[in-house]
mmCIF file of all heavy atoms in Angstrom:
data_model
loop_
_atom_site.group_PDB
_atom_site.id
_atom_site.type_symbol
_atom_site.label_atom_id
_atom_site.label_comp_id
_atom_site.label_asym_id
_atom_site.label_seq_id
_atom_site.Cartn_x
_atom_site.Cartn_y
_atom_site.Cartn_z
ATOM 1 N N ALA A 50 98.562 97.989 108.104
ATOM 2 C CA ALA A 50 99.077 96.898 107.270
ATOM 3 C C ALA A 50 98.078 96.447 106.208
ATOM 4 O O ALA A 50 98.482 95.973 105.144
ATOM 5 C CB ALA A 50 99.492 95.713 108.134
ATOM 6 N N VAL A 51 96.799 96.576 106.488
ATOM 7 C CA VAL A 51 95.787 96.123 105.518
ATOM 8 C C VAL A 51 94.984 97.277 104.924
ATOM 9 O O VAL A 51 94.013 97.039 104.202
ATOM 10 C CB VAL A 51 94.854 95.057 106.138
ATOM 11 C CG1 VAL A 51 95.641 93.801 106.479
ATOM 12 C CG2 VAL A 51 94.109 95.589 107.351
ATOM 13 N N ALA A 52 95.401 98.494 105.185
ATOM 14 C CA ALA A 52 94.672 99.663 104.678
ATOM 15 C C ALA A 52 94.450 99.651 103.164
ATOM 16 O O ALA A 52 93.378 100.070 102.707
ATOM 17 C CB ALA A 52 95.375 100.947 105.107
ATOM 18 N N PRO A 53 95.388 99.168 102.346
ATOM 19 C CA PRO A 53 95.128 99.162 100.898
ATOM 20 C C PRO A 53 93.945 98.278 100.494
ATOM 21 O O PRO A 53 93.355 98.481 99.435
ATOM 22 C CB PRO A 53 96.422 98.613 100.304
ATOM 23 C CG PRO A 53 97.469 98.908 101.317
ATOM 24 C CD PRO A 53 96.766 98.771 102.648
ATOM 25 N N TRP A 54 93.591 97.306 101.305
ATOM 26 C CA TRP A 54 92.520 96.368 100.966
ATOM 27 C C TRP A 54 91.233 96.615 101.741
ATOM 28 O O TRP A 54 90.159 96.287 101.273
ATOM 29 C CB TRP A 54 92.969 94.927 101.230
ATOM 30 C CG TRP A 54 94.118 94.528 100.382
ATOM 31 C CD1 TRP A 54 94.072 94.070 99.097
ATOM 32 C CD2 TRP A 54 95.487 94.552 100.742
ATOM 33 N NE1 TRP A 54 95.330 93.814 98.646
ATOM 34 C CE2 TRP A 54 96.235 94.099 99.643
ATOM 35 C CE3 TRP A 54 96.178 94.921 101.902
ATOM 36 C CZ2 TRP A 54 97.609 93.990 99.641
ATOM 37 C CZ3 TRP A 54 97.556 94.818 101.912
ATOM 38 C CH2 TRP A 54 98.257 94.368 100.798
ATOM 39 N N VAL A 55 91.353 97.145 102.930
ATOM 40 C CA VAL A 55 90.187 97.317 103.802
ATOM 41 C C VAL A 55 89.851 98.800 103.844
ATOM 42 O O VAL A 55 90.435 99.571 104.605
ATOM 43 C CB VAL A 55 90.474 96.760 105.215
ATOM 44 C CG1 VAL A 55 89.251 96.922 106.100
ATOM 45 C CG2 VAL A 55 90.892 95.302 105.143
ATOM 46 N N ARG A 56 88.921 99.178 102.975
ATOM 47 C CA ARG A 56 88.533 100.590 102.861
ATOM 48 C C ARG A 56 87.154 100.671 102.232
ATOM 49 O O ARG A 56 86.572 99.659 101.867
ATOM 50 C CB ARG A 56 89.572 101.348 102.048
ATOM 51 C CG ARG A 56 89.726 100.815 100.648
ATOM 52 C CD ARG A 56 90.748 101.595 99.865
ATOM 53 N NE ARG A 56 90.759 101.086 98.520
ATOM 54 C CZ ARG A 56 91.827 100.701 97.874
ATOM 55 N NH1 ARG A 56 92.992 100.785 98.438
ATOM 56 N NH2 ARG A 56 91.745 100.237 96.658
ATOM 57 N N GLY A 57 86.668 101.880 102.096
ATOM 58 C CA GLY A 57 85.344 102.069 101.508
ATOM 59 C C GLY A 57 84.267 101.532 102.425
ATOM 60 O O GLY A 57 84.206 101.913 103.595
ATOM 61 N N PRO A 58 83.443 100.604 101.921
ATOM 62 C CA PRO A 58 82.344 100.101 102.750
ATOM 63 C C PRO A 58 82.803 99.101 103.819
ATOM 64 O O PRO A 58 82.024 98.737 104.687
ATOM 65 C CB PRO A 58 81.410 99.429 101.746
ATOM 66 C CG PRO A 58 82.308 99.007 100.629
ATOM 67 C CD PRO A 58 83.378 100.067 100.557
ATOM 68 N N THR A 59 84.061 98.645 103.732
ATOM 69 C CA THR A 59 84.540 97.676 104.727
ATOM 70 C C THR A 59 85.502 98.333 105.702
ATOM 71 O O THR A 59 86.115 99.359 105.420
ATOM 72 C CB THR A 59 85.245 96.477 104.069
ATOM 73 O OG1 THR A 59 86.401 96.938 103.366
ATOM 74 C CG2 THR A 59 84.316 95.724 103.138
ATOM 75 N N THR A 60 85.609 97.716 106.843
ATOM 76 C CA THR A 60 86.573 98.111 107.855
ATOM 77 C C THR A 60 86.989 96.838 108.572
ATOM 78 O O THR A 60 86.462 95.762 108.305
ATOM 79 C CB THR A 60 85.984 99.151 108.832
ATOM 80 O OG1 THR A 60 87.045 99.662 109.666
ATOM 81 C CG2 THR A 60 84.873 98.568 109.711
ATOM 82 N N SER A 61 87.946 96.958 109.472
ATOM 83 C CA SER A 61 88.290 95.795 110.293
ATOM 84 C C SER A 61 88.133 96.174 111.751
ATOM 85 O O SER A 61 88.341 97.324 112.130
ATOM 86 C CB SER A 61 89.718 95.305 110.006
ATOM 87 O OG SER A 61 90.679 96.261 110.394
ATOM 88 N N VAL A 62 87.736 95.190 112.539
ATOM 89 C CA VAL A 62 87.548 95.409 113.972
ATOM 90 C C VAL A 62 88.412 94.415 114.738
ATOM 91 O O VAL A 62 88.558 93.261 114.337
ATOM 92 C CB VAL A 62 86.065 95.271 114.392
ATOM 93 C CG1 VAL A 62 85.232 96.383 113.763
ATOM 94 C CG2 VAL A 62 85.490 93.924 114.011
ATOM 95 N N GLY A 63 88.990 94.886 115.813
ATOM 96 C CA GLY A 63 89.811 94.019 116.652
ATOM 97 C C GLY A 63 88.940 93.065 117.438
ATOM 98 O O GLY A 63 87.896 93.454 117.962
ATOM 99 N N THR A 64 89.372 91.793 117.509
ATOM 100 C CA THR A 64 88.606 90.797 118.259
ATOM 101 C C THR A 64 89.433 90.097 119.323
ATOM 102 O O THR A 64 88.871 89.509 120.243
ATOM 103 C CB THR A 64 88.020 89.726 117.320
ATOM 104 O OG1 THR A 64 89.078 89.063 116.639
ATOM 105 C CG2 THR A 64 87.054 90.360 116.325
ATOM 106 N N ARG A 65 90.762 90.146 119.196
ATOM 107 C CA ARG A 65 91.600 89.448 120.175
ATOM 108 C C ARG A 65 93.005 90.034 120.153
ATOM 109 O O ARG A 65 93.553 90.312 119.090
ATOM 110 C CB ARG A 65 91.665 87.965 119.852
ATOM 111 C CG ARG A 65 92.453 87.142 120.844
ATOM 112 C CD ARG A 65 92.377 85.652 120.490
ATOM 113 N NE ARG A 65 93.143 84.853 121.386
ATOM 114 C CZ ARG A 65 92.708 84.352 122.534
ATOM 115 N NH1 ARG A 65 91.477 84.580 122.917
ATOM 116 N NH2 ARG A 65 93.487 83.609 123.294
ATOM 117 N N ILE A 66 93.557 90.199 121.344
ATOM 118 C CA ILE A 66 94.948 90.626 121.485
ATOM 119 C C ILE A 66 95.606 89.731 122.519
ATOM 120 O O ILE A 66 95.084 89.553 123.625
ATOM 121 C CB ILE A 66 95.067 92.089 121.942
ATOM 122 C CG1 ILE A 66 94.464 93.031 120.907
ATOM 123 C CG2 ILE A 66 96.525 92.450 122.197
ATOM 124 C CD1 ILE A 66 94.489 94.485 121.312
ATOM 125 N N GLU A 67 96.739 89.160 122.136
ATOM 126 C CA GLU A 67 97.603 88.421 123.059
ATOM 127 C C GLU A 67 98.943 89.127 122.997
ATOM 128 O O GLU A 67 99.630 89.068 121.970
ATOM 129 C CB GLU A 67 97.760 86.971 122.607
ATOM 130 C CG GLU A 67 96.460 86.203 122.523
ATOM 131 C CD GLU A 67 96.683 84.856 121.868
ATOM 132 O OE1 GLU A 67 97.249 83.968 122.517
ATOM 133 O OE2 GLU A 67 96.304 84.733 120.689
ATOM 134 N N PHE A 68 99.307 89.826 124.061
ATOM 135 C CA PHE A 68 100.468 90.705 123.971
ATOM 136 C C PHE A 68 101.230 90.714 125.290
ATOM 137 O O PHE A 68 100.621 90.780 126.357
ATOM 138 C CB PHE A 68 99.998 92.131 123.643
ATOM 139 C CG PHE A 68 100.991 92.935 122.888
ATOM 140 C CD1 PHE A 68 101.102 92.820 121.510
ATOM 141 C CD2 PHE A 68 101.823 93.822 123.539
ATOM 142 C CE1 PHE A 68 102.030 93.562 120.799
ATOM 143 C CE2 PHE A 68 102.747 94.576 122.847
ATOM 144 C CZ PHE A 68 102.853 94.450 121.465
ATOM 145 N N ASP A 69 102.541 90.654 125.189
ATOM 146 C CA ASP A 69 103.419 90.761 126.355
ATOM 147 C C ASP A 69 104.139 92.097 126.301
ATOM 148 O O ASP A 69 104.826 92.398 125.320
ATOM 149 C CB ASP A 69 104.449 89.626 126.363
ATOM 150 C CG ASP A 69 103.815 88.266 126.554
ATOM 151 O OD1 ASP A 69 102.953 88.144 127.439
ATOM 152 O OD2 ASP A 69 104.180 87.335 125.821
ATOM 153 N N HIS A 70 103.976 92.884 127.344
ATOM 154 C CA HIS A 70 104.684 94.162 127.488
ATOM 155 C C HIS A 70 105.879 93.863 128.380
ATOM 156 O O HIS A 70 105.719 93.685 129.585
ATOM 157 C CB HIS A 70 103.742 95.189 128.114
ATOM 158 C CG HIS A 70 104.269 96.579 128.127
ATOM 159 N ND1 HIS A 70 103.483 97.629 128.526
ATOM 160 C CD2 HIS A 70 105.472 97.111 127.788
ATOM 161 C CE1 HIS A 70 104.184 98.754 128.448
ATOM 162 N NE2 HIS A 70 105.392 98.458 128.000
ATOM 163 N N VAL A 71 107.076 93.798 127.792
ATOM 164 C CA VAL A 71 108.227 93.216 128.492
ATOM 165 C C VAL A 71 109.307 94.200 128.912
ATOM 166 O O VAL A 71 110.231 93.826 129.637
ATOM 167 C CB VAL A 71 108.875 92.097 127.642
ATOM 168 C CG1 VAL A 71 107.898 90.954 127.431
ATOM 169 C CG2 VAL A 71 109.402 92.624 126.315
ATOM 170 N N HIS A 72 109.189 95.455 128.470
ATOM 171 C CA HIS A 72 110.233 96.420 128.827
ATOM 172 C C HIS A 72 109.625 97.811 128.967
ATOM 173 O O HIS A 72 108.877 98.250 128.102
ATOM 174 C CB HIS A 72 111.334 96.426 127.758
ATOM 175 C CG HIS A 72 112.504 97.278 128.107
ATOM 176 N ND1 HIS A 72 113.393 96.936 129.084
ATOM 177 C CD2 HIS A 72 112.913 98.471 127.616
ATOM 178 C CE1 HIS A 72 114.316 97.876 129.169
ATOM 179 N NE2 HIS A 72 114.051 98.817 128.297
ATOM 180 N N ALA A 73 109.967 98.495 130.043
ATOM 181 C CA ALA A 73 109.460 99.850 130.283
ATOM 182 C C ALA A 73 110.128 100.843 129.337
ATOM 183 O O ALA A 73 111.293 100.711 128.981
ATOM 184 C CB ALA A 73 109.715 100.256 131.725
ATOM 185 N N THR A 74 109.341 101.867 128.954
ATOM 186 C CA THR A 74 109.842 102.899 128.043
ATOM 187 C C THR A 74 109.518 104.266 128.626
ATOM 188 O O THR A 74 108.342 104.627 128.754
ATOM 189 C CB THR A 74 109.186 102.762 126.655
ATOM 190 O OG1 THR A 74 109.403 101.446 126.166
ATOM 191 C CG2 THR A 74 109.766 103.773 125.686
ATOM 192 N N PRO A 75 110.547 105.042 128.972
ATOM 193 C CA PRO A 75 110.297 106.359 129.562
ATOM 194 C C PRO A 75 109.912 107.406 128.516
ATOM 195 O O PRO A 75 110.112 107.224 127.310
ATOM 196 C CB PRO A 75 111.632 106.715 130.206
ATOM 197 C CG PRO A 75 112.650 105.909 129.501
ATOM 198 C CD PRO A 75 111.961 104.685 128.980
ATOM 199 N N VAL A 76 109.370 108.511 128.990
ATOM 200 C CA VAL A 76 109.021 109.651 128.150
ATOM 201 C C VAL A 76 110.281 110.096 127.402
ATOM 202 O O VAL A 76 111.372 110.131 127.956
ATOM 203 C CB VAL A 76 108.442 110.794 129.005
ATOM 204 C CG1 VAL A 76 108.283 112.071 128.200
ATOM 205 C CG2 VAL A 76 107.117 110.366 129.623
#
Side-chain angles (χ1 to χ4, degrees):
V51 295
W54 297 277
V55 181
R56 60 179 184 232
T59 62
T60 189
S61 66
V62 294
T64 60
R65 183 176 178 88
I66 297 177
E67 300 171 74
F68 209 83
D69 294 314
H70 189 173
V71 297
H72 186 71
T74 304
V76 171

